[in-house]
Amino acid sequence: MGKKDKKDPRYRESTKESDPVVEDTKYGKPLTYDKNFKGPIKDRSCTDIICCLLFVIFIAGLVVVAFFAFKYGDPRLLIYPVNSNNELCGYGKQLGKPYLLFFDLVACGRMGVGVFVTGCPTPQICVSACPTENNLMLSTNAKTDLKYCKDGVDAATSTKTVNELTSDEDCARYWFKSRSLINRCVPSFLIEVLENGANLADEISSSGANASDASGISYDSSVMEAGLNVYGVFLKAKEYGEKIIEDVVTAWWMILIGLLLAMIFALIWIIIMRWIAGFMVWSTIFVFIGLFGFSTTWTLYQYYQLKDSDQSFHIQFSVIQMDMSKPKLFLAFGIISGVILLISLLILLFLCSRIRIAISLIKEGSKAVGTMMFTLLCPIFPFFLQIAVVGFWLTVAVFLASTGRNQSFEFNNSTEYKFPNGSYNYDSIKSASSQFFGAACDNNDSLSSSEFCTFLKNQEENFAFYSQIFNLFMMFWLVNFVVALGQMTLAGAFASYYWAFQKPKDIPAFPLLASLWRCFRYHLGSLAFGSLIIAIVQMIRVLLEYVDAKLKGKENPVAKFFVKCLKCCFWCLEKFLKFLNKNAYILIAAHGKNFCTSAKNAFMLIMRNIVRVVVIDKVTDFLLFISKLVVVAFAAATSYFFFDGRIEFLASFTPSLNFYVVPIVLVTLGSYVIASCFFSVYEMAVDTLFLCFLEDLERNDGSTEKPYYMSKDLRKILGKKNVIAPSEKKEF
């Protein structure tokens, strides 16, 4: 090995941080000086064109799926109920029977809230009108009194007795006087409770309603009340929902003021972070060390005080039981505290300069955000775009879900497909669209048994199913694309800030708009590529969640174990890919290279500085967590004192509300969203400046030809200097 040439641009002198500079390892060569690089390059070309074309094709596919969903779907069909044979009430075979009647509504309610998940096991039939009276079928009743029976069951001509018909659940044993609620026959006394807030027990008693199970065992009033009380979940939800909406309408402008105050406070907090970041980090570190130092000292002191005593106590955790003496307990806690204290001191000793770098970068991030205030508005547009994407996905999903049900509003009332005598004209039907033919299959028994009808129904169901999968995948892709667009736009703006030698003089005009233009003009393909990878992983995670749900209740622990492991692995993979993608977008914004090259360069740059990366990441996460907590706590406390009337000079503005907690919760949640948006900009600023800082260290050496672009504070920490005449350049 020859002596290193100090003139070699890859050579670095030792610094206070004493980081060995990797010259040529498995993580690649350090970057070399490029005299043409002065920040985000303007002369660049389009990247990842094939992926951009693929993205456009998939968007076109989504448009086609949405077209068929909107053309052949109708959300009203999701409101209409289906009977036990999965037939839509009011359409097809059940034409003229738009209401759903439950044979044993009390038995459904006795299942508890699980009935809303698993469904009611009692038979359900479509009826033309809800019952207008209370009735309970006894053995003395005539078979003609059985008004509500399954399709195909004629009680009057049946050879079974009344008890047999009701015991076999061919006919309803009882029914209540009912009214229609979302096309379901709901007992009138339940609706009285819903509308007027009446007592359920009193309503059951006054209505004279009686009921029994299918075998004829009568329900007493307490059983009926317990069985029907589960529907009070919806009754109470409606009552509370109306009061909550009333409170929101009353205090909406006060809520907006609260959110505006949270926004102003978050902005002020970001600006002052440049002065308090160091204090927050160092004070937390010293408090942490102080607490564990005290814990170690106190527990070991207690051990020495009690080591000769026989005091003991019994500990039980589930199936684990043990007896432990107090001295041994204090000794165990003392050892644990001492180990943590020792590790903390070693970390502080060896990572002190890196922590100082992290703090300095956080301060620089605050300066960057303060210099380019419009960056704080950047998350607003991606936020609303994501809401629009999710809303579009939900809309298409609802319309697609309705295409899988037996439907056709037009066909049921149309004579175009019938002969004058009312029978179906099969030739006309076969020439019609598959949507109408599917309805004809349902409306005619002889036609519904044909192979063509079976094939057609299967194809329709398959189309809806695969379209839902495609729609979900596109939702993931588009949401991640919007996130990537926001990240790359901010990265381009903050890279322009870092690579400006004299700040803010050398910062280009409108850096945020210029960065956004470069994203749309050159890098849509790269954005699509990165977001596609994340979307694929998220779809795999959805599949694993589906498999995990299917395995619940199954006696297959090995399969469950592997599914849990896969879920954990893909969760970690998604987090890693999001981290790598964000850093790739930073390098794309700065250098204009394609996604794979930028991702590789970002990974290599990170691995060459892995310790710095871990420290800056964790310190930034900690500060952002504290900052969000402060903003949310400020908004929550302010809204609490105001709506509770504790601010005397504003007491006259305090509204009269049903639930004072409603506006407080809304302000708290809204302030969290605002803080997340604002501090996501701050986090992107720190990440971008950090990668630029690592590049600056490798590209430049502080000479006249290759001056450092980092701040004076960072150069001081690293023991670096710019050898440059003050008359030539003014240091920042």
Side-chain angles (χ1 to χ4, degrees):
M1 293 287 293
K3 246 181 131 182
K4 293 180 183 176
D5 182 5
K6 293 187 177 183
K7 294 182 180 180
D8 189 333
R10 293 174 296 175
Y11 177 78
R12 297 288 181 273
E13 294 182 355
S14 61
T15 68
K16 290 182 181 180
E17 191 181 5
S18 63
D19 275 342
V21 174
V22 183
E23 294 203 6
D24 192 358
T25 68
K26 60 182 178 180
Y27 299 121
K29 296 181 180 180
L31 300 171
T32 56
Y33 175 68
D34 181 2
K35 63 179 181 179
N36 296 319
F37 181 72
K38 302 295 181 183
I41 60 175
K42 298 179 180 179
D43 185 15
R44 56 179 74 195
S45 59
C46 296
T47 56
D48 300 299
I49 298 174
I50 294 177
C51 198
C52 183
L53 294 175
L54 184 65
F55 184 60
V56 172
I57 292 172
F58 271 69
I59 291 289
L62 180 62
V63 172
V64 172
V65 169
F67 171 78
F68 280 101
F70 294 146
K71 182 174 177 62
Y72 297 118
D74 194 321
R76 290 177 297 175
L77 297 177
L78 299 178
I79 300 175
Y80 286 89
V82 294
N83 62 12
S84 298
N85 296 327
N86 201 35
E87 297 168 335
L88 189 66
C89 292
Y91 298 92
K93 293 181 181 179
Q94 304 301 327
L95 185 64
K97 300 178 180 179
Y99 308 110
L100 186 71
L101 178 70
F102 295 85
F103 274 20
D104 193 349
L105 199 60
V106 176
C108 294
R110 294 177 72 183
M111 293 176 60
V113 294
V115 68
F116 305 121
V117 179
T118 60
C120 182
T122 189
Q124 302 151 45
I125 61 172
C126 300
V127 295
S128 57
C130 292
T132 57
E133 60 182 357
N134 299 318
N135 215 330
L136 173 65
M137 294 293 100
L138 305 174
S139 57
T140 56
N141 285 94
K143 288 192 287 185
T144 54
D145 294 333
L146 296 171
K147 295 183 179 180
Y148 303 103
C149 299
K150 293 180 178 178
D151 291 341
V153 176
D154 188 350
T157 60
S158 175
T159 58
K160 296 181 180 181
T161 64
V162 170
N163 279 338
E164 290 173 339
L165 287 169
T166 54
S167 298
D168 295 341
E169 295 188 326
D170 290 330
C171 297
R173 168 73 70 171
Y174 71 90
W175 53 87
F176 298 128
K177 179 181 178 181
S178 304
R179 290 160 56 185
S180 173
L181 184 65
I182 320 179
N183 285 69
R184 276 81 172 169
C185 292
V186 178
S188 298
F189 52 79
L190 274 179
I191 297 182
E192 287 295 324
V193 174
L194 174 67
E195 293 180 345
N196 304 322
N199 181 270
L200 179 59
D202 294 341
E203 288 297 320
I204 293 175
S205 176
S206 61
S207 67
N210 294 301
S212 67
D213 62 14
S215 61
I217 301 176
S218 298
Y219 296 130
D220 58 29
S221 58
S222 61
V223 173
M224 289 177 60
E225 182 182 356
L228 296 174
N229 195 51
V230 68
Y231 305 106
V233 173
F234 290 104
L235 308 182
K236 289 294 183 183
K238 180 179 181 296
E239 178 185 355
Y240 288 142
E242 290 176 347
K243 290 183 178 180
I244 289 173
I245 293 173
E246 181 183 347
D247 289 343
V248 172
V249 171
T250 302
W252 68 269
W253 63 273
M254 303 173 194
I255 295 173
L256 289 180
I257 292 177
L259 296 178
L260 180 62
L261 290 175
M263 185 182 302
I264 295 172
F265 185 78
L267 176 60
I268 296 173
W269 188 263
I270 287 176
I271 294 174
I272 65 175
M273 280 285 283
R274 70 182 72 175
W275 294 290
I276 66 173
F279 171 77
M280 291 173 62
V281 173
W282 290 119
S283 61
T284 303
I285 290 174
F286 288 127
V287 167
F288 181 84
I289 291 175
L291 287 175
F292 275 95
F294 172 78
S295 173
T296 303
T297 304
W298 186 80
T299 51
L300 291 179
Y301 174 78
Q302 292 296 320
Y303 165 72
Y304 282 111
Q305 290 289 321
L306 301 173
K307 66 178 181 178
D308 296 328
S309 67
D310 296 327
Q311 299 182 42
S312 63
F313 55 91
H314 183 73
I315 300 177
Q316 179 173 348
F317 295 104
S318 185
V319 297
I320 301 175
Q321 302 184 30
M322 61 180 177
D323 293 310
M324 179 176 287
S325 64
K326 279 189 176 181
K328 289 183 179 179
L329 178 66
F330 282 118
L331 178 62
F333 277 115
I335 293 173
I336 294 172
S337 299
V339 171
I340 295 175
L341 177 63
L342 180 61
I343 293 173
S344 302
L345 289 173
L346 290 174
I347 291 175
L348 181 62
L349 179 64
F350 288 102
L351 300 181
C352 180
S353 59
R354 292 182 175 86
I355 295 174
R356 291 173 63 196
I357 291 173
I359 294 171
S360 182
L361 283 169
I362 289 169
K363 293 178 179 179
E364 197 66 24
S366 177
K367 292 179 183 178
V369 173
T371 303
M372 300 180 292
M373 296 294 291
F374 281 106
T375 56
L376 293 173
L377 300 178
C378 189
I380 296 176
F381 301 104
F383 177 73
F384 284 109
L385 280 176
Q386 290 179 66
I387 291 177
V389 169
V390 174
F392 181 78
W393 164 71
L394 285 173
T395 304
V396 174
V398 168
F399 275 84
L400 281 174
S402 66
T403 61
R405 310 191 78 171
N406 302 334
Q407 57 163 310
S408 178
F409 289 103
E410 299 177 32
F411 190 83
N412 287 326
N413 302 316
S414 176
T415 59
E416 180 181 353
Y417 307 102
K418 295 181 180 180
F419 289 115
N421 62 1
S423 62
Y424 289 106
N425 183 342
Y426 295 159
D427 292 333
S428 177
I429 291 173
K430 290 179 180 179
S431 64
S433 67
S434 61
Q435 179 70 21
F436 289 160
F437 186 74
C441 290
D442 295 324
N443 290 342
N444 188 280
D445 292 333
S446 62
L447 188 59
S448 63
S449 61
S450 68
E451 294 182 2
F452 184 76
C453 274
T454 304
F455 170 79
L456 186 63
K457 284 185 177 181
N458 290 336
Q459 294 305 310
E460 183 180 348
E461 291 174 1
N462 290 339
F463 172 78
F465 175 73
Y466 291 122
S467 295
Q468 290 282 24
I469 295 177
F470 179 76
N471 185 38
L472 178 64
F473 172 74
M474 288 304 299
M475 187 270 291
F476 285 141
W477 195 353
L478 289 171
V479 167
N480 286 293
F481 180 86
V482 171
V483 171
L485 177 63
Q487 290 178 341
M488 188 180 291
T489 302
L490 287 172
F494 290 122
S496 300
Y497 172 88
Y498 185 92
W499 295 110
F501 194 85
Q502 297 187 61
K503 301 177 178 61
K505 179 181 177 181
D506 292 343
I507 299 175
F510 307 110
L512 191 64
L513 292 178
S515 179
L516 181 62
W517 161 251
R518 290 193 294 268
C519 290
F520 277 103
R521 174 63 181 85
Y522 300 106
H523 303 305
L524 288 181
S526 298
L527 295 172
F529 195 174
S531 55
L532 172 63
I533 297 172
I534 303 297
I536 292 173
V537 174
Q538 289 175 337
M539 283 299 295
I540 295 174
R541 290 189 63 198
V542 170
L543 176 62
L544 290 174
E545 291 290 345
Y546 174 78
V547 173
D548 189 34
K550 286 294 184 182
L551 287 175
K552 285 184 178 178
K554 300 288 192 296
E555 299 298 328
N556 195 338
V558 176
K560 290 181 179 179
F561 172 77
F562 278 109
V563 170
K564 297 291 184 185
C565 289
L566 287 173
K567 287 171 62 177
C568 179
C569 290
F570 277 96
W571 179 85
C572 294
L573 178 62
E574 182 182 346
K575 295 296 181 183
F576 170 75
L577 289 175
K578 285 183 175 180
F579 172 77
L580 184 61
N581 280 11
K582 181 168 68 172
N583 289 283
Y585 297 145
I586 293 172
L587 293 192
I588 293 172
H591 300 285
K593 296 182 179 180
N594 62 48
F595 178 82
C596 290
T597 301
S598 299
K600 175 187 174 183
N601 292 341
F603 179 76
M604 294 301 183
L605 185 60
I606 289 169
M607 292 306 297
R608 291 197 295 269
N609 300 271
I610 187 62
V611 178
R612 283 173 173 163
V613 171
V614 172
V615 173
I616 188 69
D617 186 60
K618 295 309 169 188
V619 171
T620 304
D621 287 346
F622 167 75
L623 283 180
L624 291 180
F625 171 75
I626 295 296
S627 300
K628 290 180 184 178
L629 195 63
V630 169
V631 173
V632 173
F634 167 79
T638 303
S639 60
Y640 169 75
F641 284 112
F642 172 75
F643 288 107
D644 199 45
R646 300 195 180 192
I647 304 178
E648 295 183 1
F649 68 93
L650 294 177
S652 59
F653 295 97
T654 303
S656 177
L657 302 173
N658 297 299
F659 306 108
Y660 287 100
V661 72
V662 171
I664 297 173
V665 170
L666 290 178
V667 170
T668 303
L669 293 177
S671 63
Y672 176 78
V673 173
I674 290 171
S676 298
C677 290
F678 274 45
F679 289 110
S680 67
V681 176
Y682 191 78
E683 182 180 15
M684 198 66 200
V686 174
D687 291 339
T688 303
L689 296 178
F690 179 55
L691 278 192
C692 293
F693 162 74
L694 296 180
E695 281 199 23
D696 193 10
L697 274 178
E698 293 189 355
R699 289 184 182 276
N700 304 309
D701 58 8
S703 64
T704 305
E705 297 80 12
K706 297 175 284 185
Y708 290 118
Y709 285 77
M710 68 186 74
S711 66
K712 185 185 294 185
D713 186 35
L714 282 171
R715 293 201 303 272
K716 183 179 179 181
I717 294 171
L718 294 172
K720 304 287 187 180
K721 289 183 179 180
N722 272 344
V723 183
I724 188 169
S727 59
E728 296 178 9
K729 291 285 186 180
K730 180 182 177 182
E731 290 195 11
F732 54 93

